[in-house]
Amino acid sequence: MTSSLTNNSRDFIGYANRPPAVAWPGEARVAVSFVLNFEEGAEFSVADGDARNESVYEVIDPRTGWDPCIDSHFEYGTRAAWWRIAELFDRHRAPMTVSACGRAVARSPWLAQDAVARGHEVSAHGWRWESHAGMAPAQEAAAMDTCMAAIEAACGRRPVGWHTRSACTPNTRALLAERGFLYDSDAYNDDLPFFVPVAGRPHLVLPYAFDTNDMQFQHTQRFATAAQFAEYVCDAFDWLHDEGATRPRMMSVGLHLRMIGRPARMKALALILEHLRRRSGAWIATREQIARHWLAHAPRPDAAATPAG
């Protein structure tokens, strides 16, 4: 069981090296979650009437007006990258979670629909591609509702998972619980799902990761080649695989259409998928599948005494 976690306290203990004895399906040692972020069309762009352009990308010459350069970089994700990524996952019969901004889905509903048709989960990544830090409760609730409505309109089903870009607010989890979300991924502090108390009930968190993430191609240039990224992710899996002999483990691999979908980086994704199949012991699953399995098999703490959110 995890220790209590509230808005005003931090949990430095977690499972204290005594995680629940949850067995993954098929005697797998590691639950592997590929998360493909779908943000194209939800980023800030003067062309869309925003006051500024998105600044997080490879473009290094900011413009105060319309910036067709950065706009076209984002468009690459839907025009070219989606198809090669989706086809690679098809070849490996591997499901993934498409973490989608609502406005991206509203502008390109065909992509979310194609993802569902291929057996992938479409989860919620906010209405816009923006941090929620500083949002008032009513503003955040409206962003959630608009995002959910866009995904449901395109996919015929409400999303059950949520991930905020950057920082969430003290109200995020309470608002998610009110809306019946199954899980959120607004944490980076563990290699396993865990529960936190929200409004007197246990709420499930599936931690995410920024190191096994293609964002490092741009944000830090930690990875210069596909081989470097593949080696890093495979090394992470191998270590967790060894630990998984005695305890359950989970690994998240963060991807972005416009980043991993470039031809020179696609080989990394192919190498990772091939490594997982060759080593065995990996349960490649959507985050919804992992969440439902954890909810069905992990003991839930008594959250009634420590509300959060």
Side-chain angles (χ1 to χ4, degrees):
M1 299 286 181
T2 57
S3 60
S4 297
L5 180 66
T6 71
N7 291 332
N8 299 313
S9 68
R10 295 170 62 188
D11 183 357
F12 291 95
I13 301 173
Y15 289 115
N17 207 32
R18 295 187 297 275
V22 175
W24 299 124
E27 300 182 348
R29 293 187 177 192
V30 185
V32 180
S33 166
F34 287 94
V35 178
L36 181 63
N37 292 278
F38 173 27
E39 300 149 347
E40 287 71 10
E43 79 281 2
F44 291 102
S45 172
V46 171
D48 290 334
D50 296 315
R52 64 177 178 87
N53 296 302
E54 180 54 55
S55 59
V56 178
Y57 202 60
E58 293 173 321
V59 180
I60 60 174
D61 298 318
R63 291 174 54 91
T64 55
W66 172 49
D67 190 343
C69 177
I70 195 166
D71 281 355
S72 65
H73 274 81
F74 275 84
E75 292 159 9
Y76 186 87
T78 53
R79 291 168 62 104
W82 165 252
W83 304 109
R84 63 170 58 107
I85 294 169
E87 289 165 7
L88 179 63
F89 274 84
D90 280 352
R91 289 200 295 272
H92 286 270
R93 297 186 299 279
M96 61 180 161
T97 293
V98 177
S99 184
C101 292
R103 198 168 88 161
V105 173
R107 299 180 82 165
S108 301
W110 56 266
L111 194 152
Q113 292 161 358
D114 189 54
V116 171
R118 294 174 190 263
H120 306 303
E121 172 193 8
V122 177
S123 65
H125 193 27
W127 168 241
R128 300 295 302 273
W129 189 46
E130 62 183 342
S131 169
H132 280 212
M135 281 190 180
Q139 180 187 8
E140 186 171 27
M144 287 182 180
D145 290 340
T146 309
C147 175
M148 294 168 63
I151 294 175
E152 184 174 15
C155 303
R157 180 174 182 258
R158 291 174 54 161
V160 300
W162 175 273
H163 183 213
T164 311
R165 177 189 176 183
S166 186
C168 58
T169 77
N171 307 299
T172 300
R173 283 184 175 146
L175 293 170
L176 293 174
E178 288 174 4
R179 285 154 179 76
F181 275 87
L182 193 69
Y183 71 89
D184 76 66
S185 297
D186 289 345
Y188 310 87
N189 54 2
D190 213 310
D191 296 311
L192 281 178
F194 59 88
F195 293 101
V196 295
V198 177
R201 300 179 62 185
H203 172 78
L204 185 62
V205 179
L206 269 63
Y208 192 49
F210 281 170
D211 66 321
T212 49
N213 194 306
D214 68 1
M215 64 188 284
Q216 302 300 343
F217 277 112
Q218 265 100 37
H219 294 212
T220 66
Q221 295 186 325
R222 182 180 302 166
F223 307 123
T225 67
Q228 290 174 340
F229 181 46
E231 180 181 15
Y232 188 92
V233 174
C234 291
D235 283 349
F237 173 77
D238 289 347
W239 192 276
L240 293 171
H241 184 275
D242 289 345
E243 292 184 347
T246 57
R247 70 201 77 170
R249 283 291 179 252
M250 175 183 167
M251 182 176 79
S252 296
V253 182
L255 307 169
H256 299 74
L257 286 168
R258 61 195 178 277
M259 295 181 189
I260 199 66
R262 290 285 175 174
R265 297 176 183 144
M266 281 297 297
K267 185 177 179 181
L269 194 50
L271 289 171
I272 293 165
L273 288 164
E274 290 164 6
H275 182 78
L276 297 181
R277 296 301 188 194
R278 185 168 58 251
R279 285 269 352 231
S280 74
W283 177 41
I284 303 175
T286 67
R287 291 178 96 74
E288 179 179 358
Q289 290 173 325
I290 294 170
R292 293 195 184 282
H293 186 85
W294 199 261
L295 287 164
H297 296 92
R300 303 193 196 189
D302 179 7
T306 317

